[in-house]
Amino acid sequence: MCSIIRLGPIEWSSYFILTLVGIFAAFLYWNVVWDKLKISFKQFCIMGVFMVFGLVLGSKILFVVTKLPDICKHFSIQYAINSISTAGFVFYGGLFGMLLGLRAFCNLKNRSYHTTVNLLTPGFPIFHVFGRIGCLLAGCCYGFECSNGIQMEDGVTRFPIQLVEALGDALIAFALIKVSNKHKDKLLEIYLVSYAIMRFILEFARGDRLRGIWFGLSTSQWISLIIIIVYSIKFYKQFRCSV
């Protein structure tokens, strides 16, 4: 794997490069629905700042939460500070942080959060496709050890779970775009449930333990379960009311 990409005299993190590509790909989609967003470029940039700030903050906070058992086990002020300052990124934390950032922007500008977030939703899995490819190149979020996988930088051959999730995200993005006209008010719900089901299953093929393991399930699996249960109850109530 190539965790560093050299462009001229400058070395760039492959994860950083793929993240930028993912943002650009999401922007290409959002450009398609620009007229429906009814927002100026300046306001869109401000909205982007709110979303990115929420994404970074949320992903860092959830990473620290996954490290709490380790922090408590080896507790010291210096160890806690080092753990927080070197915290990585956790997708679910970033996703919900970004959604909170978007809600804050919509409240500030008196915009409809529900309409805005559903228009933007297909861009989320589009971005994540490239993010997971970046994970593969960076050697993080790896799968279990196997004989017929991809050799990582540590010399261990592992199942390329990052590519499987990238493919799943691409399929979710395609499905969201296909149903965007018919179910334009449900896109966020469809995305959250679809991704939660996929993520819960794929977590069993993960080989790292950096995300926290609670009663045999990872932090992301518990979050996925909560999402699935909450929306299952909601869909059931809606079905009961319609019959």
Side-chain angles (χ1 to χ4, degrees):
M1 295 296 100
C2 180
S3 59
I4 299 295
I5 297 176
R6 181 181 293 275
L7 297 175
I10 304 176
E11 291 185 343
W12 299 84
S13 163
S14 57
Y15 184 83
F16 177 73
I17 295 295
L18 267 296
T19 297
L20 292 182
V21 173
I23 292 174
F24 179 73
F27 267 81
L28 287 180
Y29 171 77
W30 291 333
N31 184 63
V32 174
V33 297
W34 189 273
D35 291 339
K36 296 179 182 179
L37 280 172
K38 298 178 181 179
I39 188 173
S40 67
F41 181 74
K42 178 181 178 180
Q43 291 297 310
F44 185 83
C45 290
I46 296 174
M47 180 179 71
V49 171
F50 273 75
M51 293 171 67
V52 170
F53 178 79
L55 185 152
V56 173
L57 185 62
S59 62
K60 289 285 187 178
I61 289 175
L62 188 55
F63 186 90
V64 172
V65 171
T66 65
K67 294 275 289 183
L68 279 180
D70 186 55
I71 293 175
C72 293
K73 183 178 180 179
H74 306 92
F75 184 76
S76 71
I77 299 299
Q78 186 61 45
Y79 186 80
I81 293 175
N82 289 339
S83 298
I84 294 173
S85 62
T86 59
F89 298 91
V90 176
F91 173 74
Y92 266 132
L95 174 63
F96 292 121
M98 180 181 62
L99 294 178
L100 287 175
L102 178 60
R103 181 176 286 277
F105 170 81
C106 290
N107 290 342
L108 184 65
K109 299 298 181 180
N110 295 316
R111 291 181 57 87
S112 169
Y113 169 76
H114 183 74
T115 300
T116 304
V117 75
N118 279 287
L119 284 170
L120 296 177
T121 291
F124 302 158
I126 291 175
F127 162 78
H128 205 195
V129 168
F130 296 93
R132 280 306 183 212
I133 296 175
C135 289
L136 176 67
L137 295 178
C140 64
C141 306
Y142 49 80
F144 58 83
E145 295 185 26
C146 63
S147 57
N148 297 313
I150 295 180
Q151 188 173 26
M152 308 300 288
E153 284 194 336
D154 59 3
V156 179
T157 302
R158 300 183 182 279
F159 179 70
I161 191 64
Q162 306 97 322
L163 291 182
V164 176
E165 186 168 338
L167 176 60
D169 281 318
L171 293 175
I172 291 174
F174 177 77
L176 289 172
I177 294 172
K178 290 290 289 185
V179 304
S180 59
N181 289 327
K182 186 177 181 180
H183 302 286
K184 61 182 179 181
D185 295 329
K186 302 285 187 181
L187 293 185
L188 180 62
E189 296 179 3
I190 295 172
Y191 168 60
L192 289 175
V193 174
S194 300
Y195 180 77
I197 294 172
M198 178 183 73
R199 182 64 183 268
F200 183 86
I201 296 171
L202 293 184
E203 283 287 294
F204 289 110
R206 290 279 287 264
D208 60 318
R209 290 293 180 267
L210 296 177
R211 299 147 293 119
I213 298 296
W214 311 83
F215 302 102
L217 297 178
S218 71
T219 306
S220 293
Q221 284 179 310
W222 282 112
I223 295 174
S224 296
L225 271 179
I226 292 172
I227 292 173
I228 294 169
I229 292 172
V230 168
Y231 279 105
S232 295
I233 293 173
K234 182 178 180 179
F235 294 152
Y236 175 74
K237 289 182 177 179
Q238 290 175 344
F239 174 77
R240 287 291 300 272
C241 292
S242 64
V243 296

